Amino acid sequence: MSTNTFIYSTYINTTPEKLREALTSSEFTQKYWGGLKIESDWQVGSPVKMAMPWGGKLNDLAGTVLKSDPPKLLSYTGIGGPESAVTFEIIKMSEKEIRLNITHDGFSDKAKTSIAEGWFAIMSSLKTLLETGTALDHSWWKG
């Protein structure tokens, strides 16, 4: 099986602390992940549980926290398969401008398109939620 890497950066008008909370609060993730709830205590080695409240093609996912350095860095496995890992790097550019770097690696060729499309949608929704208070409607991907 070949593995792939997806890299993406976006700029968000927020603070590092609010962005870290958005990445780690299950109530917050549920808003911009289209209903998916991500739960963990975010300590290195702790489990990460991802519960999907809808039926369909995807099952609940589970992973492990690989790195956690609040508010700058978070990495965990479980999205895109057990060998796959996602890393969020939060970089403060100015008082209220943050660059969020996302690196997702270790997924198969088969998952490449869905990983990229998923991250574009999720990060757009996260940015919109943090800047306007309302997440994007991702009901189209539940079907």
Side-chain angles (χ1 to χ4, degrees), residues 30-43:
Q30 194 170 23
K31 292 177 184 177
Y32 69 90
W33 276 80
L36 181 93
K37 193 179 222 184
I38 302 176
E39 299 175 324
S40 180
D41 68 8
W42 302 110
Q43 301 300 310

Side-chain angles (χ1 to χ4, degrees), residues 19 41 79 82 109:
L19 180 51
D41 68 8
I79 297 174
D109 284 339

Side-chain angles (χ1 to χ4, degrees), residues 38 42 48 50 64-66 74-79 84-86 88:
I38 302 176
W42 302 110
V48 178
M50 295 160 246
T64 304
V65 178
L66 301 174
L74 180 64
S75 181
Y76 56 89
T77 64
I79 297 174
S84 177
V86 62
F88 301 96

Side-chain angles (χ1 to χ4, degrees), residues 46-67:
S46 292
V48 178
K49 297 178 185 172
M50 295 160 246
M52 296 178 210
W54 61 89
K57 302 175 235 174
L58 300 173
N59 298 318
D60 287 352
L61 304 170
T64 304
V65 178
L66 301 174
K67 298 175 187 173

Side-chain angles (χ1 to χ4, degrees), residues 106-139:
F107 54 89
S108 69
D109 284 339
K110 184 178 179 182
K112 193 173 187 176
T113 300
S114 62
I115 293 287
E117 288 177 1
W119 280 121
F120 291 138
I122 291 162
M123 290 300 102
S124 294
S125 188
L126 170 62
K127 177 178 172 58
T128 301
L129 178 58
L130 285 169
E131 293 180 346
T132 71
T134 305
L136 299 176
D137 174 17
H138 287 319
S139 58

